[in-house]
Amino acid sequence: MVPALALAADPEVDPDKVPVRSTPVAGNIHFIEGAGGNIAASAGPDGLLIVDDQFAPMAKKIHATLDKLSKKPIVYVLNTHWHGDHTGGNAIFGREGRIVAQREVRVRLASVQKSPKGETPAAPKEALPVITYDTGMSLYFNGEEVRLTHLPAGHTDGDTLVYFVGSNVLHMGDQFFAGTFPFIDVGTGGSVEGYVRNAEQVLKTLPAGAKIIPGHGKLCERADLERFVTMLRETTSLVRTQLAAGKTLEQVKAAGLPPQFKSWGEGYVSQDVWLETLYHGLQAKPEAARPEVAKDAK
């Protein structure tokens, strides 16, 4: 089984067993699924721009899919964050297009990253972003503004929203897992409080009729994000209440979550892992909100 998410840059992925599918979304934007994080592709007169690039072994099939959209070269590769299931193809696609990411993504990729799952080696030079930013920036490509907005600590410390303004398509990276509990990487700057706050701010500022590409899962719209935010709020509130009552982690896991959340644990993050994430994350000191997020995410 191909993992839906992995921190390692080069897991055992057999591209022959994984189909790559491309679906038109709106305007110049296409939604590409394979192994790892979802890809957005802008295909038009200026060439190709892609958001994330999955695992390195998938690069050949991804490129073949992109060739069907446009014979023009890849000009830009945007990374929503540093994890290998979204940046594993950087070393390959970065030879063709310029890699763009939030500053912390380059910092993470350029150094060894350690986690309970093991050690991720530093990425080679050709896999590193060559254009970085702090709070955000815009590219003007294929006839529309491509707006990049850095989110405060949420999934990691280097998360970016990518909004295709003319097409009205938003790629949320792993700040949105469609229909499943999310993975929050507290080891590289992620935050439970920040993750919930970010999702709420995106929902608050989401343009009418926008199509949403999540980091993992199906192509979505506002109602899907609303369900996700509701799940975040309710499960977070439940665990916060249990913490206040002095419950241990074992007691919280034994009590579980209400039945309506059962299906959410069928993805990469199980119910027990999500409860552990909330339990430990809510004990951490909350960070101050950054007011510019709501403004920049529009």
Side-chain angles (χ1 to χ4, degrees):
M1 178 180 177
V2 175
L5 179 149
L7 303 188
D10 191 21
E12 294 181 4
V13 174
D14 184 351
D16 292 335
K17 296 180 180 179
V18 183
V20 174
R21 294 182 291 269
S22 175
T23 304
V25 181
N28 296 314
I29 311 306
H30 301 259
F31 170 49
I32 298 176
E33 302 168 90
N38 291 327
I39 295 173
S42 171
D46 296 334
L48 288 162
L49 175 153
I50 61 173
V51 181
D52 291 343
D53 49 37
Q54 300 191 352
F55 297 114
M58 297 300 299
K60 185 175 181 181
K61 290 184 89 169
I62 292 169
H63 218 307
T65 299
L66 292 171
D67 283 344
K68 294 177 182 177
L69 302 180
S70 174
K71 295 298 183 182
K72 293 191 174 185
I74 297 170
V75 181
Y76 292 108
V77 178
L78 313 184
N79 292 157
T80 60
H81 61 290
W82 77 272
H83 288 155
D85 58 322
H86 294 258
T87 63
N90 272 16
I92 298 167
F93 293 106
R95 297 178 192 140
E96 186 173 345
R98 293 183 175 183
I99 302 174
V100 183
Q102 203 274 339
R103 173 173 45 86
E104 295 299 333
V105 174
R106 181 181 171 92
V107 171
R108 296 289 180 192
L109 289 175
S111 57
V112 175
Q113 299 298 311
K114 297 180 180 180
S115 77
K117 293 181 176 295
E119 189 173 282
T120 302
K125 179 181 178 181
E126 57 270 24
L128 301 179
V130 296
I131 300 173
T132 64
Y133 49 88
D134 289 328
T135 59
M137 64 174 288
S138 288
L139 300 171
Y140 294 84
F141 193 79
N142 285 336
E144 67 180 323
E145 179 185 359
V146 184
R147 189 178 299 164
L148 287 70
T149 303
H150 171 52
L151 297 173
H155 176 63
T156 67
D157 55 11
D159 301 313
T160 286
L161 299 174
V162 181
Y163 180 49
F164 297 91
V165 178
S167 300
N168 198 17
V169 177
L170 177 67
H171 193 311
M172 288 185 63
D174 281 1
Q175 186 59 57
F176 182 20
F177 282 62
T180 65
F181 295 131
F183 170 62
I184 300 177
D185 189 358
V186 295
T188 60
S191 160
V192 169
E193 297 276 14
Y195 193 100
V196 177
R197 185 168 58 240
N198 288 344
E200 290 175 332
Q201 290 286 5
V202 173
L203 182 60
K204 185 185 300 183
T205 59
L206 186 70
K211 298 293 185 183
I212 308 170
I213 297 175
H216 298 270
K218 67 171 186 173
L219 182 64
C220 295
E221 53 189 26
R222 183 182 185 87
D224 300 296
L225 182 58
E226 287 176 341
R227 284 190 288 271
F228 183 68
V229 170
T230 296
M231 178 278 296
L232 292 175
R233 286 172 174 162
E234 293 186 5
T235 58
T236 300
S237 177
L238 179 63
V239 174
R240 186 180 284 113
T241 298
Q242 292 171 313
L243 273 168
K247 300 291 185 181
T248 66
L249 175 58
E250 289 69 28
Q251 289 173 321
V252 171
K253 290 167 67 174
L257 292 170
Q260 66 263 33
F261 299 117
K262 181 179 179 181
S263 65
W264 291 84
E266 296 174 357
Y268 177 78
V269 174
S270 67
Q271 176 175 281
D272 277 356
V273 171
W274 179 235
L275 288 172
E276 289 175 18
T277 299
L278 295 178
Y279 189 88
H280 294 304
L282 292 173
Q283 290 177 315
K285 183 179 178 181
E287 300 177 21
R290 288 234 316 252
E292 68 267 25
V293 175
K295 175 185 68 177
D296 290 346
K298 291 181 181 178

